[in-house]
Amino acid sequence: MYTNSHLEDWIENFYRKINITKPEQINFEYIAEMLGIRVYFKPVPSFSFKYYGKYRMVLDERKNRKEQWNDFAHELCHVLKHYGNQFIMNKMFRQLQEFQANNFMYHFCIPTFMLSKISLPRLQSEAIKLIGDTFKVTYPFAAKRLEMYRRKQFSFACYEACIKQLS
């Protein structure tokens, strides 16, 4: 049995609210439009900011589309879940926000509710390729997300085995 985290539930609810239920429907320009976020492409590292009450996001035009999708998801976490100016906040709090944004990025780009519907090949390299191609992410990104997903599946299987032993 797999139990979703609060983040996984939040992401599923978010996607369903904007009528995205399949990987091929995921498009960051559409998501930005639905949220009223203006996206710009410039030759600078990606970042987001609020200007006159509206969110803006600058994505690095030097990156490929898959890398821009990762950056979009990372910055979206800052827009939706974080407050404050990172330039003036405590270093450890900034590190926490970056950790949260990276975790969000993996789950947002490859949502668990979509990933769990895919019949993954047994061979890891084939599973990584399938995930990467399906969700339009790089293969290293797909490998990391697959590791996160399988680690959680394994921990729940261990938990269930322990409970059976105690019964």
Side-chain angles (χ1 to χ4, degrees):
M1 182 177 94
Y2 185 99
T3 302
N4 281 350
S5 67
H6 293 294
L7 177 62
E8 289 166 317
D9 285 339
W10 188 93
I11 288 170
E12 180 176 355
N13 290 333
F14 174 86
Y15 273 122
R16 290 189 187 283
K17 280 181 188 171
I18 61 171
N19 298 314
I20 294 177
T21 58
K22 299 175 192 156
E24 60 271 15
Q25 296 173 310
I26 297 173
N27 175 294
F28 71 76
E29 283 96 347
Y30 172 76
I31 295 166
E33 183 181 323
M34 296 305 301
L35 294 171
I37 299 170
R38 299 237 5 224
V39 178
Y40 304 91
F41 297 89
K42 302 285 182 193
V44 297
S46 299
F47 65 98
S48 58
F49 61 100
K50 193 174 189 179
Y51 185 69
Y52 287 107
K54 302 255 182 188
Y55 283 101
R56 275 82 163 118
M57 193 177 295
V58 176
L59 297 178
D60 191 339
E61 70 183 14
R62 300 166 296 187
K63 292 185 174 184
N64 66 42
R65 179 85 177 164
K66 292 175 180 181
E67 294 167 325
Q68 289 172 343
W69 170 223
N70 299 349
D71 285 359
F72 176 86
H74 177 98
E75 294 304 325
L76 185 63
C77 180
H78 292 308
V79 167
L80 297 175
K81 301 225 171 248
H82 296 151
Y83 296 96
N85 182 342
Q86 281 196 335
F87 294 111
I88 60 173
M89 68 178 50
N90 177 286
K91 180 183 173 185
M92 291 190 67
F93 193 67
R94 185 174 59 248
Q95 288 173 336
L96 171 65
Q97 286 190 349
E98 287 304 307
F99 173 82
Q100 290 170 335
N102 285 331
N103 188 52
F104 179 93
M105 171 185 69
Y106 283 104
H107 285 85
F108 195 79
C109 290
I110 305 172
T112 301
F113 81 102
M114 294 182 197
L115 180 58
S116 65
K117 291 178 183 170
I118 296 173
S119 179
L120 295 173
R122 285 190 154 195
L123 194 59
Q124 183 159 329
S125 60
E126 290 177 7
I128 290 167
K129 183 177 182 338
L130 177 63
I131 293 168
D133 294 344
T134 301
F135 291 95
K136 299 176 186 84
V137 297
T138 64
Y139 296 140
F141 189 97
K144 172 74 173 166
R145 181 63 175 100
L146 178 60
E147 177 196 343
M148 293 166 74
Y149 181 67
R150 286 192 170 156
R151 191 177 336 120
K152 189 168 178 186
Q153 285 179 317
F154 178 75
S155 67
F156 273 100
C158 289
Y159 174 77
E160 286 180 339
C162 289
I163 294 299
K164 278 186 181 180
Q165 288 290 331
L166 295 173
S167 299

